């Protein structure tokens, strides 16, 4: 949270009122009052939005330490947090199509995982950005996604849109949720026009149906909580959605990426909390081993 920004705004408002007082008569001030009030309302909304965007950007920035515009999968070295709360508010549906043609999961016929969701679209149908974000990749992969786009979002997710007939955005472009980013198609390894849509957290594919409800054109909740459970060689991801009333104030989490030479007490000191609090937030005890790049909640 950037307090100096708020301070600047607050100081600005104070100066504005103070100068109004000293330079003008009572009537003028009275006339200005509603405008002044209006400005304050607008500014408090602006400040709130700014704080939220700052917090969200910080989350994504703390999760990802690379910005690779040519390689889709580039997060092998990054530790995935045990759980991560993803803010789904402000979403847009990538397509108005409600027709799912293939789900996420293992495909016995091809002996491989299908790490996305296929949604029926026709060539030329508009495809939209699912959240605000920044376009990381715009490429053509003849044996795979065809024409595809990868967007990184401040909520920590990356979304992938495959088999497009046309891309309408370019790398490093900022987009809003609902910005048209491409046109549906049948490029790459695709049999019949459709949208291949993926939702990933630090490269780990999450079933998009846990997040998006295409038949009802909605998200599954205001938040999606990602959980990682390591189970021998198989990694399972279970989901729990918390439906929290819109605009309700929620507990915000912050994340700290472990650096070389850190231990629980040096981290706790840096974050201004006790070792006990740090352990409790991460299901650790005093003797737990932590690794560089591991992500801790606080
Ligand atoms: Zn697919």
């Amino acid at each position: 949270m950037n307090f100096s920004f708020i301070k600047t705004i607050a100081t600005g408002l104070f100066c504005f009122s103070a100068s109004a007082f000293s330079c003008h008569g009572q009537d003028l001030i009275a006339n200005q009052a509603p405008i002044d009030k209006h400005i304050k309302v607008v500014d408090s909304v602006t400040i709130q939005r700014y704080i939220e965007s700052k917090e969200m950007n910080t989350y994504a920035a703390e999760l990802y330490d690379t910005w690779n515009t040519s390689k889709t999968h580039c997060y092998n070295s990054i530790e995935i947090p045990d759980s991560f709360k993803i803010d789904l508010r402000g979403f847009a549906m990538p397509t108005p199509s409600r027709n799912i043609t293939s789900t996420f999961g293992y495909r016995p016929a091809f002996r491989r995982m299908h790490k996305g969701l296929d949604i029926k679209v026709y060539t030329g149908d508009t495809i939209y950005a699912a959240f605000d974000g920044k376009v990381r990749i715009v490429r053509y992969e003849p044996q795979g996604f065809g024409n595809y786009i990868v967007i990184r979002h401040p909520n920590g997710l990356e979304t992938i849109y495959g088999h497009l007939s046309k891309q309408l955005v370019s790398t490093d472009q900022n987009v809003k949720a609902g910005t048209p980013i491409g046109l549906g198609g049948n490029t790459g390894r695709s049999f019949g026009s459709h949208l291949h849509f993926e939702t990933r957290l630090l490269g780990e594919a999450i079933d998009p149906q846990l997040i998006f409800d295409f038949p009802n054109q909605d998200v599954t909740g205001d938040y999606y909580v990602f959980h990682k459970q390591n189970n021998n060689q198989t990694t399972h991801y279970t989901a729990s959605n918390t439906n929290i009333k819109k605009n309700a104030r929620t507990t915000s989490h912050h994340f700290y990426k472990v650096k070389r030479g850190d231990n629980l007490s040096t981290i706790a000191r840096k974050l201004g909390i006790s070792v006990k609090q740090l352990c409790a937030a991460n299901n650790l005890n005093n003797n737990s081993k932590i690794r560089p790049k591991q992500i801790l909640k606080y």
Side-chain angles (χ1 to χ4, degrees), residues 114 118 194 196:
H114 181 233
D118 292 347
H194 73 281
H196 172 89

Side-chain angles (χ1 to χ4, degrees), residues 135-136 138 168-174:
V135 178
R136 183 162 73 80
V138 179
L168 303 173
V169 288
S170 40
T171 304
D172 293 331
Q173 186 179 329
N174 286 306

Side-chain angles (χ1 to χ4, degrees), residues 100-255:
I100 290 160
T101 54
S102 184
T103 52
F104 177 95
Y106 186 67
R107 284 172 159 175
F110 298 93
R111 291 192 177 175
R112 55 183 285 159
M113 276 289 291
H114 181 233
K115 293 193 170 177
L117 186 68
D118 292 347
I119 306 125
K120 180 64 198 171
V121 298
Y122 294 92
T123 298
D125 282 356
T126 308
I127 306 299
Y128 305 92
F131 301 99
D132 291 359
K134 189 173 181 179
V135 178
R136 183 162 73 80
I137 290 177
V138 179
R139 286 189 69 193
Y140 175 62
E141 190 184 68
Q143 301 306 316
F145 291 146
N147 289 318
Y148 72 102
I149 294 167
V150 181
I151 305 177
R152 184 182 296 175
H153 307 287
N155 65 5
L157 280 180
E158 287 198 324
T159 50
I160 303 179
Y161 312 77
H163 310 308
L164 305 172
S165 59
K166 193 174 168 56
Q167 293 126 316
L168 303 173
V169 288
S170 40
T171 304
D172 293 331
Q173 186 179 329
N174 286 306
V175 291
K176 288 281 174 200
T179 299
I181 53 166
L183 303 178
N186 189 24
T187 56
R189 199 171 57 200
S190 169
F191 305 94
S193 65
H194 73 281
L195 172 69
H196 172 89
F197 177 60
E198 294 191 8
T199 42
R200 288 177 180 259
L201 181 73
L202 279 168
E204 283 297 330
I206 301 172
D207 181 353
Q209 282 193 289
L210 295 171
I211 296 173
F212 285 92
D213 177 356
F214 281 91
N216 288 307
Q217 291 286 294
D218 202 356
V219 278
T220 54
D222 284 349
Y223 300 91
Y224 170 77
V225 183
F226 168 90
H227 291 288
K228 183 178 79 173
Q229 286 170 356
N230 280 317
N231 204 349
N232 296 329
Q233 284 124 9
T234 326
T235 309
H236 296 288
Y237 298 99
T238 52
S240 63
N241 272 292
T242 40
N243 264 303
I244 296 164
K245 239 185 245 152
K246 295 227 190 292
N247 303 322
R249 199 72 197 130
T250 55
T251 341
S252 57
H253 289 293
H254 295 270
F255 297 90

Side-chain angles (χ1 to χ4, degrees), residues 15-32:
C15 292
F16 175 74
S17 327
S19 62
F21 237 115
S22 56
C23 305
H24 306 285
Q26 277 296 330
D27 290 348
L28 258 177
I29 293 162
N31 284 339
Q32 281 175 354

